[in-house]
Amino acid sequence: MQNWLRKNPAVRSLRVAAADLNGQPRGKRIPTRFADKAIEEGTRFPFSVLNLDIWGEDIENSPLVMESGDKDGVLRPTERGFMPMPWLETPTALLPIWMYHDDGRPFAGDPRHALNAVLDRYRARGLTPVCAVELEFFLIDDSGRKLQVPPSPRSGKRRQAGDILSMRALDQFDTFFTELYDACEDMDIPADTAISEAGLGQFEINLMHGDDALRAADDAWLFKMLVKGLARKHGFAASFMAKPYPDYAGSGLHMHFSVLDADGRNIFDNGGPEGTEMLRHAVAGCMTAMPGSGLIFAPHANSYARIVPGAHAPTAVCWAYENRTSSIRIPSGNPKARRIEHRVAGGDVNPYLMLAAVLGAAINGIEDEAKPPAPITGNAYTADLPQIPADWTTAIDRFENDAAVARIFARELIQNLVLTKRQELRDMAELSPEEQAEIYLETV
């Protein structure tokens, strides 16, 4: 890590940051001359900092605050090491960190540790998930009282409608996207294809698949930070909130995954289009855990404006082959790449918790040799099927008490997240949708 700094002598400032339960980066600014201390000794701040509400406030009655004396944890660098923060004017390096107790135990309330605990279950079986994510986001002009698409830097005109897979829409913001891809190269984020989407000023960028799920979650977390920071540099906002405009489709964060055995073989591939029994076990696990995991996939008040029938977001607990109305889709194509696409999560999720929920549910199903119902055909929105929680209160209650969720997440994390969301639920109820949107615009 010191080598990176020596190779980048222009860096004048450091940030150390970890993801809290809402996916917000929490950390400190450190002078570069104290970099060795941050690397070798770590940095310290309270455990409760990873369990703040969306405003950044303490959680009332949290066991991490007054009850425990608001103790410090120690935060150590992840294996990612230093990387540039290209959206800042001052040359700055970011050091991602995660939280431990003083005796070396991982802090169970840290989302990155939650994902790593799930991956330990795969490692114990000699299995390795291969993951990729697709991230949708909006470019937004929030300078006035009403959110709207930014004017094109090329023409000065505003796009008036969704324009799916439009080259013109991409070209209008070519300078932004060129700088975004350059920044992804600098940060080693594997950004692949970009497209325009169905929403007003909405785009999607895919991140390439890899066999390190922790790194895939890091990439998604860092990518969201980068897109939001770089947009401000260009004079507008970027938002991953689930539904900024009521009349247009919302933003999702779709996850694709397969699983390799110890010999590097895809355990979902049987040489044909239907996939293996292992694939069906994983599908069954994902379906069983889906109602209880709704709070992970839709964590905010605004999230539930997206989960409505016919709006390009799944509402039913089901699976299908090559069917985008289902919550779990098995894409067609080369059998060697046979995989599961989990389509429930909004763009506003914490990537660490989302990957943990999906991969944890899949390993539940594999361990249990669970059997899914028959795959559906046709329109899932019009079928009589079990439903994903459609409101925040139900999602919180289901998450707190669900047996499948209890196998995926530590009890401490479940309790912390439930306390957080009940506090946010209470306080958001006092605000109008417009006031809520102002809070969510860049936080999520």
Side-chain angles (χ1 to χ4, degrees):
M1 294 182 189
Q2 289 95 336
N3 286 340
W4 190 93
L5 288 176
R6 281 193 286 270
K7 291 177 181 178
N8 293 272
V11 169
R12 294 170 54 197
S13 176
L14 304 178
R15 304 286 194 278
V16 292
D20 73 5
L21 288 183
N22 276 318
Q24 299 301 297
R26 303 287 177 188
K28 300 180 179 181
R29 177 174 176 150
I30 297 176
T32 52
R33 65 194 181 101
F34 295 126
D36 288 349
K37 184 175 185 292
I39 295 167
E40 295 164 11
E41 300 179 25
T43 190
R44 301 181 70 85
F45 51 71
F47 290 108
S48 60
V49 168
L50 296 193
N51 185 202
L52 302 173
D53 68 16
I54 197 66
W55 291 272
E57 300 282 352
D58 277 332
I59 305 305
E60 297 171 12
N61 302 317
S62 168
L64 298 176
V65 189
M66 300 304 178
E67 183 179 318
S68 65
D70 211 10
K71 293 180 182 177
D72 274 354
V74 58
L75 292 105
R76 303 192 183 283
T78 73
E79 57 277 13
R80 191 75 179 225
F82 285 107
M83 64 188 64
M85 301 177 72
W87 59 94
L88 296 177
E89 285 73 20
T90 301
T92 302
L94 172 67
L95 183 64
I97 52 180
W98 51 345
M99 185 173 271
Y100 293 82
H101 295 272
D102 281 327
D103 62 7
R105 286 178 297 123
F107 172 48
D110 183 319
R112 196 172 192 267
H113 281 305
L115 174 56
N116 198 44
V118 168
L119 297 177
D120 282 341
R121 295 170 62 187
Y122 282 86
R123 296 179 190 114
R125 286 177 162 262
L127 300 175
T128 303
V130 174
C131 305
V133 295
E134 304 167 348
L135 299 104
E136 295 174 342
F137 60 92
F138 288 83
L139 300 183
I140 295 175
D141 177 1
D142 65 336
S143 61
R145 293 175 61 86
K146 181 181 178 182
L147 300 181
Q148 54 186 334
V149 65
S152 163
R154 294 170 66 87
S155 69
K157 297 179 180 180
R158 297 183 195 273
R159 181 178 168 198
Q160 297 299 315
D163 203 357
I164 299 173
L165 267 73
S166 166
M167 296 302 296
R168 178 173 57 86
L170 287 167
D171 292 347
Q172 286 175 342
F173 294 94
D174 180 66
T175 302
F176 168 76
F177 282 105
T178 297
E179 191 168 343
L180 177 60
Y181 274 96
D182 288 346
C184 285
E185 285 291 321
D186 291 341
M187 297 177 72
D188 198 19
I189 297 171
D192 187 28
T193 306
I195 62 170
S196 67
E197 270 288 358
L200 190 64
Q202 186 185 33
F203 299 91
E204 176 187 273
I205 291 185
N206 298 339
L207 303 187
M208 290 291 290
H209 66 274
D211 62 1
D212 184 341
L214 270 179
R215 187 179 182 89
D218 289 341
D219 288 335
W221 182 63
L222 292 164
F223 181 81
K224 292 176 72 172
M225 202 185 311
L226 167 62
V227 171
K228 289 184 280 190
L230 198 61
R232 283 299 182 200
K233 186 177 177 182
H234 282 254
F236 42 80
S239 184
F240 292 83
M241 67 185 293
K243 191 88 164 178
Y245 302 110
D247 297 330
Y248 288 90
S251 285
L253 199 164
H254 300 162
M255 174 186 169
H256 294 249
F257 73 99
S258 57
V259 179
L260 305 180
D261 65 16
D263 296 320
R265 292 187 293 258
N266 180 0
I267 67 171
F268 293 166
D269 172 24
N270 71 341
E274 68 279 358
T276 62
E277 279 297 305
M278 282 291 196
L279 179 142
R280 286 181 281 280
H281 295 332
V283 166
C286 288
M287 291 179 65
T288 299
M290 194 176 292
S293 302
L295 184 62
I296 300 295
F297 306 135
H300 306 291
N302 176 261
S303 305
Y304 295 88
R306 171 179 170 268
I307 304 177
V308 293
H312 298 285
T315 58
V317 180
C318 60
W319 73 292
Y321 290 94
E322 201 54 78
N323 183 337
R324 286 183 169 85
T325 70
S326 65
S327 49
I328 296 172
R329 167 178 170 256
I330 311 302
S332 57
N334 190 328
K336 292 181 179 179
R338 189 66 60 230
R339 64 192 185 276
I340 293 170
E341 180 189 14
H342 199 288
R343 297 178 52 79
V344 182
D348 55 349
V349 299
N350 179 326
Y352 297 105
L353 295 182
M354 188 272 286
L355 264 71
V358 173
L359 295 176
I363 196 68
N364 283 356
I366 289 170
E367 289 173 353
D368 296 346
E369 298 184 356
K371 306 290 185 183
I376 69 158
T377 57
N379 187 350
Y381 295 119
T382 59
D384 182 15
L385 294 165
Q387 297 295 296
I388 298 164
D391 66 89
W392 208 7
T393 301
T394 301
I396 295 169
D397 293 343
R398 292 291 296 267
F399 180 76
E400 182 178 25
N401 299 300
D402 188 83
V405 167
R407 294 174 62 184
I408 299 169
F409 294 106
R411 189 65 198 166
E412 182 178 359
L413 187 145
I414 293 170
Q415 291 173 336
N416 291 346
L417 187 58
V418 166
L419 285 171
T420 302
K421 293 303 162 183
R422 288 197 172 130
Q423 179 165 306
E424 293 177 359
L425 174 67
R426 179 199 67 198
D427 294 344
M428 283 290 177
E430 300 176 0
L431 305 179
S432 68
E434 292 76 20
E435 290 170 324
Q436 292 179 7
E438 185 175 349
I439 293 161
Y440 288 134
L441 183 70
E442 289 181 289
T443 53
V444 301

